[in-house]
Amino acid sequence: MLWSLFKIILFVVLIAALALGAGQLLELEGGVRVAIAGWELSLSPLQAVLAVVFLLCAVWLLLKIVGLLVAVVRFVVGDETAINRYFNRNRERKGFQALADGLMALASGEGRTAMSKAAKAEKYLRRPELTNLVTAQAAEMTGDKRKAQAVYKELLKDDRTRFVGVRGIMKQKLAEGDTDTALKLAERAFALKPKHEETQDVLLRLQAGQADWKGARATLGAKLKHGSLPRDVHKRRDAVLALSEAKDVLAAGSTIEAREAAIEANRLSPDLVPAAVMAARSYADEGKPKYAVRVIKKAWESQPHPDLAAAFAALEPEEDAQSRLKRFKQLLKLKPDHIETKLLQAELNIAAEDFPEARRSLGDLIDDNPNARVLTIMAAIERGEGKPDSVVRGWLTRALTASRGPQWVCGNCHTVHAEWEPVCSNCQAFDTLAWTEPSGGDISMPGGVEMLPMLVGAPESTEVVAVDEFSDEPTESAKIENSDNEKDVLDAEIVEGSADQAGQK
Ligand SMILES: [Zn+2]
């Protein structure tokens, strides 16, 4: 911007200086007189200056003509390419200048200029492998897909530019959503340049998306071989692929192979929950419950998860609640402070009808992390202890709007999945699902949560005892008036509805 302004000012100043100079030359007295061998020429000062400029041009032209004459003489003497070389030098210079301009235009985002410069360069240079690269990129830039595709097809003809052509068409097919063709092209590009990282990633994504787990594992192996993947990441992803393979094999009805694949996946990544669950089930089917227990415990140590607990329970389907509680002790002691351990312990105690112990198992989760599962367990405890319906309903009402707790969430697009998948169903990213609490887990309801007690009916009697047992907070009506936290208000409203009414009055 500033530079343009500067150029304009410079131009104006130059013109003014020229006009001024010419005016002064016109006003000057005298002039130049040239006398050569009887010839005599009188020039005014302005004419003299013009004559000098003309003379310079004439000398430049003379040098050019001499150059051409020299080339002609050489040609006559026997150097057959001399004239061609003379003209080619010129063409080459102009061609490379045009190519440089084209690249510059490309870099500054001027697609149309780049395209015309590339065409000009091609006219002088006749080097399509060079100029087509510029043309293709310029066509992409201006959104001229058909032209770009035509140029990519040209590039396929030359060994040196084939990869660029394949990659270009592959990207176009990907953008169009034609994944079948894109996969074939990616395989071709991978064969041409197995070290190319982007091609590896595209191929892997497409193979995973089309459930070609064997192919994907081969690509993953190539990624590791060419050093573009850390070994631990490779191991984990390979496990994910092995697990996906196992799932497919199981769906096809071949259980023995599926078992082996699941155990392999678990061996590669012991913390991958679905692999551990499947491997445990495989061991149990083989009549090796000890191995199954070991696999589940190993996975529980790195990631306690309800599916692992379910798999652990399934090892002894016939046992009663008391002996199940006893058997689970070996799992529960591994991570005693983990929220999943506390919830599992509470659930097992509820099943064994030991409600006070279930309440103790929950610990302070009801204050620290009151998600839907915690609140539902709380409702079950109250029901088991014979509390009135209104109290139970209060907990369930809170559970309605509470966070759902951890789920399989895509780390890329944050989509929540009901089941673990190797490929995100929304953004098609590979191995992005993690067992975490989704952001914005609280469910908003029209009218706000404070409306709910009205809808489900406020409890009738004051349940101060219930409040004292799990909360140290004061239950007076003053607390309700001072609190600006909706949840606290609701909590108090549900448990001691009459106090609420008193507080409002
Ligand atoms: Zn996703």
Side-chain angles (χ1 to χ4, degrees), residues 30 92 114 174 181 212 276 302 376 401 403 465 489:
E92 213 166 57
L174 274 177
T181 316
D212 175 10
S302 54
T376 314
T401 51
S403 152
V465 188
V489 175

PDB file of all heavy atoms in Angstrom, residues 30 92 114 174 181 212 276 302 376 401 403 465 489:
ATOM      1  N   GLY A  30      22.171  29.175 -27.280  1.00  0.00           N
ATOM      2  CA  GLY A  30      23.246  28.425 -27.913  1.00  0.00           C
ATOM      3  C   GLY A  30      22.822  27.037 -28.307  1.00  0.00           C
ATOM      4  O   GLY A  30      21.647  26.778 -28.540  1.00  0.00           O
ATOM      5  N   GLU A  92      15.046 -18.854 -24.192  1.00  0.00           N
ATOM      6  CA  GLU A  92      15.212 -19.432 -22.865  1.00  0.00           C
ATOM      7  C   GLU A  92      15.111 -18.349 -21.797  1.00  0.00           C
ATOM      8  O   GLU A  92      14.437 -18.521 -20.780  1.00  0.00           O
ATOM      9  CB  GLU A  92      16.569 -20.117 -22.793  1.00  0.00           C
ATOM     10  CG  GLU A  92      16.559 -21.331 -21.891  1.00  0.00           C
ATOM     11  CD  GLU A  92      17.798 -22.170 -22.113  1.00  0.00           C
ATOM     12  OE1 GLU A  92      18.910 -21.610 -21.963  1.00  0.00           O
ATOM     13  OE2 GLU A  92      17.654 -23.358 -22.437  1.00  0.00           O
ATOM     14  N   ALA A 114      -0.739 -16.443 -12.841  1.00  0.00           N
ATOM     15  CA  ALA A 114       0.185 -17.580 -12.851  1.00  0.00           C
ATOM     16  C   ALA A 114      -0.087 -18.465 -14.061  1.00  0.00           C
ATOM     17  O   ALA A 114       0.839 -18.930 -14.738  1.00  0.00           O
ATOM     18  CB  ALA A 114       0.041 -18.379 -11.566  1.00  0.00           C
ATOM     19  N   LEU A 174     -10.931 -37.164  -3.546  1.00  0.00           N
ATOM     20  CA  LEU A 174     -11.250 -37.081  -2.114  1.00  0.00           C
ATOM     21  C   LEU A 174     -12.228 -35.943  -1.852  1.00  0.00           C
ATOM     22  O   LEU A 174     -13.194 -36.086  -1.110  1.00  0.00           O
ATOM     23  CB  LEU A 174      -9.975 -36.843  -1.304  1.00  0.00           C
ATOM     24  CG  LEU A 174      -9.172 -38.070  -0.910  1.00  0.00           C
ATOM     25  CD1 LEU A 174      -7.911 -37.645  -0.182  1.00  0.00           C
ATOM     26  CD2 LEU A 174      -9.982 -39.011  -0.030  1.00  0.00           C
ATOM     27  N   THR A 181     -12.319 -44.543  -5.813  1.00  0.00           N
ATOM     28  CA  THR A 181     -11.269 -44.159  -6.754  1.00  0.00           C
ATOM     29  C   THR A 181     -10.077 -43.575  -5.999  1.00  0.00           C
ATOM     30  O   THR A 181      -8.923 -43.863  -6.338  1.00  0.00           O
ATOM     31  CB  THR A 181     -11.804 -43.123  -7.755  1.00  0.00           C
ATOM     32  OG1 THR A 181     -13.104 -43.551  -8.178  1.00  0.00           O
ATOM     33  CG2 THR A 181     -10.903 -42.991  -8.951  1.00  0.00           C
ATOM     34  N   ASP A 212     -10.615 -52.079   5.491  1.00  0.00           N
ATOM     35  CA  ASP A 212      -9.564 -52.948   4.954  1.00  0.00           C
ATOM     36  C   ASP A 212      -8.448 -52.995   6.009  1.00  0.00           C
ATOM     37  O   ASP A 212      -7.418 -52.339   5.884  1.00  0.00           O
ATOM     38  CB  ASP A 212      -9.055 -52.375   3.625  1.00  0.00           C
ATOM     39  CG  ASP A 212      -7.866 -53.166   3.079  1.00  0.00           C
ATOM     40  OD1 ASP A 212      -7.579 -54.257   3.633  1.00  0.00           O
ATOM     41  OD2 ASP A 212      -7.232 -52.695   2.121  1.00  0.00           O
ATOM     42  N   ALA A 276      -9.171 -55.615  25.550  1.00  0.00           N
ATOM     43  CA  ALA A 276      -9.059 -56.410  26.775  1.00  0.00           C
ATOM     44  C   ALA A 276     -10.347 -57.196  27.011  1.00  0.00           C
ATOM     45  O   ALA A 276     -10.317 -58.377  27.369  1.00  0.00           O
ATOM     46  CB  ALA A 276      -8.778 -55.495  27.957  1.00  0.00           C
ATOM     47  N   SER A 302      -4.834 -49.486  34.133  1.00  0.00           N
ATOM     48  CA  SER A 302      -4.570 -48.254  33.380  1.00  0.00           C
ATOM     49  C   SER A 302      -5.852 -47.494  33.066  1.00  0.00           C
ATOM     50  O   SER A 302      -5.814 -46.281  32.900  1.00  0.00           O
ATOM     51  CB  SER A 302      -3.815 -48.570  32.092  1.00  0.00           C
ATOM     52  OG  SER A 302      -4.513 -49.527  31.360  1.00  0.00           O
ATOM     53  N   THR A 376     -28.299 -41.769  40.027  1.00  0.00           N
ATOM     54  CA  THR A 376     -29.195 -42.926  39.903  1.00  0.00           C
ATOM     55  C   THR A 376     -28.890 -43.962  40.985  1.00  0.00           C
ATOM     56  O   THR A 376     -29.807 -44.542  41.589  1.00  0.00           O
ATOM     57  CB  THR A 376     -29.033 -43.569  38.507  1.00  0.00           C
ATOM     58  OG1 THR A 376     -29.037 -42.537  37.530  1.00  0.00           O
ATOM     59  CG2 THR A 376     -30.160 -44.528  38.203  1.00  0.00           C
ATOM     60  N   THR A 401     -30.953 -34.128  34.388  1.00  0.00           N
ATOM     61  CA  THR A 401     -30.242 -32.988  33.805  1.00  0.00           C
ATOM     62  C   THR A 401     -28.749 -33.017  34.107  1.00  0.00           C
ATOM     63  O   THR A 401     -28.027 -32.113  33.700  1.00  0.00           O
ATOM     64  CB  THR A 401     -30.830 -31.666  34.334  1.00  0.00           C
ATOM     65  OG1 THR A 401     -30.876 -31.736  35.757  1.00  0.00           O
ATOM     66  CG2 THR A 401     -32.216 -31.436  33.792  1.00  0.00           C
ATOM     67  N   SER A 403     -24.734 -34.341  34.096  1.00  0.00           N
ATOM     68  CA  SER A 403     -23.830 -34.834  33.055  1.00  0.00           C
ATOM     69  C   SER A 403     -23.936 -36.351  32.970  1.00  0.00           C
ATOM     70  O   SER A 403     -24.192 -37.020  33.967  1.00  0.00           O
ATOM     71  CB  SER A 403     -22.401 -34.420  33.408  1.00  0.00           C
ATOM     72  OG  SER A 403     -21.501 -35.345  32.853  1.00  0.00           O
ATOM     73  N   VAL A 465     -32.896 -35.795  57.972  1.00  0.00           N
ATOM     74  CA  VAL A 465     -32.004 -36.927  58.261  1.00  0.00           C
ATOM     75  C   VAL A 465     -31.213 -37.306  57.015  1.00  0.00           C
ATOM     76  O   VAL A 465     -29.990 -37.473  57.069  1.00  0.00           O
ATOM     77  CB  VAL A 465     -32.838 -38.140  58.742  1.00  0.00           C
ATOM     78  CG1 VAL A 465     -31.905 -39.245  59.217  1.00  0.00           C
ATOM     79  CG2 VAL A 465     -33.790 -37.722  59.836  1.00  0.00           C
ATOM     80  N   VAL A 489     -29.601 -25.170  44.989  1.00  0.00           N
ATOM     81  CA  VAL A 489     -30.991 -24.844  45.309  1.00  0.00           C
ATOM     82  C   VAL A 489     -31.866 -26.071  45.073  1.00  0.00           C
ATOM     83  O   VAL A 489     -32.650 -26.480  45.928  1.00  0.00           O
ATOM     84  CB  VAL A 489     -31.480 -23.672  44.437  1.00  0.00           C
ATOM     85  CG1 VAL A 489     -32.954 -23.423  44.686  1.00  0.00           C
ATOM     86  CG2 VAL A 489     -30.693 -22.421  44.745  1.00  0.00           C
TER      87      VAL A 489
END
